[in-house]
Amino acid sequence: MATLILVRHGRSTANTAGLLAGWTPGVGLDERGAEQARALPGRLAGVPLAAAVTSPLQRCRETLEPLLAERPDLPLHTDERIGECHYGDWSNRKLAELAEEPLMKIVQQHPSAAAFPGGESMRAMQARAVDAVRDWNARIEEEHGADAVFLMCSHGDIIKSVVADALGMHLDLFQRIHVDPCSVTAVRYTPTRPFLLRLGDTGDFASLAPRPARAPDPAASETESFEAATEDGGNAVVGGGAGAA
């Protein structure tokens, strides 16, 4: 079967503002995200792509613009099933505030039981995303052969849930997976099992180094407070986080 390349959108204005964007309209890439998007064609230069599929949200479409400019003949499709999780009443709220919500403990430790008020459950999010991947795998293989490679541009929690499915992991373990903005994850599907070939690959390993001590920056506190919790308390960043600057 086909090989799937999952690209998380570049860093967005919501990421740097510490907001859980969800399906909030008008959330595009920030300056760093646009730079990441411009680098994507070079990173994928050696990979023949049969098609690209994108989430309908602006930040994903903007991430693919440089790649499509380099490959004007690459077919582009939009699929709402790989759009961001519907966070409902949590959408566009500050992550630092959401960290104090009782539901956050469920999201972190028992996501298969988590349902966002006014939104969807994390089980439903994973089910629609995996259905989309399986459907596109079958379509790409039928149209382009078993060795074809195709790309999907989506969101942090969507990609993590697809990876969990590929690894045979229960959804309750998917918060152990992390994918940075504009990172590349690759899964090769076969008739008997998927193989994870890459996970969250940005080609930059600077984020693995310990962070140097620095004075607190009030302007960055809203962005960093929830990310600091991932280091101090072991929580995952809902919505994927901003990643390295």
Side-chain angles (χ1 to χ4, degrees):
M1 297 180 70
T3 297
L4 167 63
I5 293 178
L6 289 159
V7 175
R8 185 183 167 200
H9 62 79
R11 197 174 72 176
S12 73
T13 55
N15 292 147
T16 47
L19 298 173
L20 185 63
W23 284 70
T24 303
V27 177
L29 301 182
D30 69 4
E31 185 176 345
R32 172 59 177 156
E35 179 184 339
Q36 292 169 331
R38 288 192 296 270
L40 186 61
R43 293 168 59 200
L44 297 176
V47 182
L49 295 173
V53 185
T54 184
S55 156
L57 296 175
Q58 177 181 334
R59 51 197 182 274
C60 287
R61 291 186 283 107
E62 289 182 356
T63 298
L64 289 186
E65 284 177 359
L67 179 65
L68 295 171
E70 290 281 337
R71 305 191 191 199
D73 295 329
L74 179 65
L76 177 66
H77 308 273
T78 300
D79 194 326
E80 291 195 357
R81 295 176 297 175
I82 62 168
E84 181 63 284
C85 183
H86 291 277
Y87 295 117
D89 296 345
W90 277 30
S91 299
N92 213 35
R93 290 182 57 190
K94 289 188 177 296
L95 289 164
E97 297 173 358
L98 293 172
E100 304 302 321
E101 293 279 355
L103 177 60
M104 184 60 79
K105 185 175 182 179
I106 307 302
V107 170
Q108 293 292 334
Q109 299 181 19
H110 191 20
S112 65
F116 296 98
E120 69 179 331
S121 69
M122 301 195 90
R123 296 188 315 280
M125 173 199 74
Q126 183 186 44
R128 63 174 166 84
V130 171
D131 282 349
V133 166
R134 298 291 182 171
D135 289 348
W136 279 103
N137 275 338
R139 175 174 172 176
I140 294 297
E141 181 175 5
E142 180 180 358
E143 295 179 359
H144 301 279
D147 293 329
V149 182
F150 71 108
L151 179 150
M152 283 185 165
C153 187
S154 188
H155 308 266
D157 283 347
I158 296 291
I159 293 172
K160 287 162 55 179
S161 70
V162 169
V163 169
D165 172 77
L167 291 176
M169 292 170 56
H170 195 281
L171 183 61
D172 285 344
L173 301 179
F174 101 122
Q175 297 289 26
R176 301 183 184 193
I177 300 167
H178 179 78
V179 290
D180 277 324
C182 222
S183 62
V184 171
T185 295
V187 183
R188 178 171 296 146
Y189 288 86
T190 77
T192 56
R193 75 191 82 176
F195 291 87
L196 181 64
L197 307 180
R198 297 286 190 279
L199 177 61
D201 190 343
T202 63
D204 179 4
F205 299 103
S207 63
L208 301 180
R211 291 188 179 184
R214 59 181 179 180
D217 179 1
S221 61
E222 294 291 358
T223 303
E224 296 181 348
S225 58
F226 194 79
E227 292 184 328
T230 69
E231 300 172 351
D232 300 335
N235 286 333
V237 182
V238 177

